[in-house]
Amino acid sequence: MIERSLVIIKPDGVERSLVGEIIKRFENTGLKLVGMKMVWVDKKFAEKHYSAHKSKPFFRELVEFITEGPVVAFVLEGVHAVENVRRLVGSTSPHEAAPGTIRGDFAHLSMAYASKKGTGGKNVIHASGSKQEADGEIKLWFGKDELHSYTTVHEKHVF
Ligand code: IDP
Ligand code: MG
């Protein structure tokens, strides 16, 4: 099933110059970029994006963190994209994320820094957790005219 998923490289990932490395990992698997932008979101927008976490004790710091610098947001399209993107991203807590995943390879450094400051959640990247979440998040972050349909060489020559 062809799906679309939203990915956000969080401020820690952008500030650590991990954008190219992260996008490469998705492209390598054949996932297709269908929209992409750099944005510095405000608190109101961040609260909307994380509205499902409103009642969590870490909600405030999550909103603070995601608004502390620009992020790179993009939409990936592919077969079972939601699940496959999550697999490449790895577990939420960097110390549980497997080596080879984006969080497993990069987020532990952020976490070491974050725990010193007494804050959590600096795990480099966001990815939609379900098809339903993806649909809502893509609508929130991208206008219809910012998403593009085209054919990759994989589709042309492999399938
Ligand atoms: P996910 O990003 O893997 O989908 P969620 O449970 O949806 O994980 O949580 C959203 C974000 O909230 C996480 O990526 C992380 O940045 C932050 N977060 C989750 N749990 C905690 C926590 O216990 N303390 C601080 N931040 C957290
Ligand atoms: Mg989530």
Side-chain angles (χ1 to χ4, degrees):
M1 194 190 17
I2 303 290
E3 296 170 346
R4 286 180 171 185
S5 186
L6 180 86
V7 176
I8 303 162
I9 304 177
K10 297 182 181 181
D12 56 338
V14 173
E15 286 162 21
R16 288 172 56 200
S17 306
L18 293 172
V19 173
E21 166 77 34
I22 289 171
I23 290 173
K24 185 101 202 93
R25 290 184 175 211
F26 293 114
E27 283 189 319
N28 281 348
T29 72
L31 284 157
K32 173 161 61 171
L33 273 169
V34 295
M36 179 157 70
K37 58 183 163 189
M38 180 179 252
V39 269
W40 194 326
V41 298
D42 61 19
K43 291 209 157 50
K44 216 170 137 195
F45 187 93
E47 284 169 5
K48 235 186 241 173
H49 171 73
Y50 280 127
S51 58
H53 297 291
K54 214 165 186 147
S55 61
K56 305 267 174 69
F58 56 85
F59 181 68
R60 276 290 123 217
E61 68 182 287
L62 192 51
V63 170
E64 288 282 313
F65 166 47
I66 202 80
T67 56
E68 78 179 28
V71 302
V72 172
F74 48 96
V75 177
L76 291 168
E77 185 182 284
V79 180
H80 297 297
V82 173
E83 188 189 339
N84 284 326
V85 166
R86 289 290 296 202
R87 204 175 292 153
L88 289 165
V89 163
S91 302
T92 304
S93 296
H95 64 276
E96 285 166 9
T101 65
I102 291 162
R103 283 170 173 167
D105 288 350
F106 300 116
H108 55 288
L109 287 172
S110 297
M111 283 316 254
Y113 165 74
S115 63
K116 231 178 7 192
K117 284 196 351 180
T119 57
K122 300 205 173 195
N123 55 5
V124 175
I125 188 164
H126 165 87
S128 306
S130 66
K131 178 75 174 63
Q132 194 190 1
E133 215 177 274
D135 292 345
E137 290 178 354
I138 291 167
K139 214 174 268 173
L140 177 66
W141 284 78
F142 285 85
K144 271 204 174 102
D145 57 347
E146 295 175 306
L147 297 168
H148 309 285
S149 290
Y150 63 97
T151 309
T152 64
V153 289
H154 310 295
E155 293 167 295
K156 274 182 186 151
H157 300 298
V158 180
F159 299 129

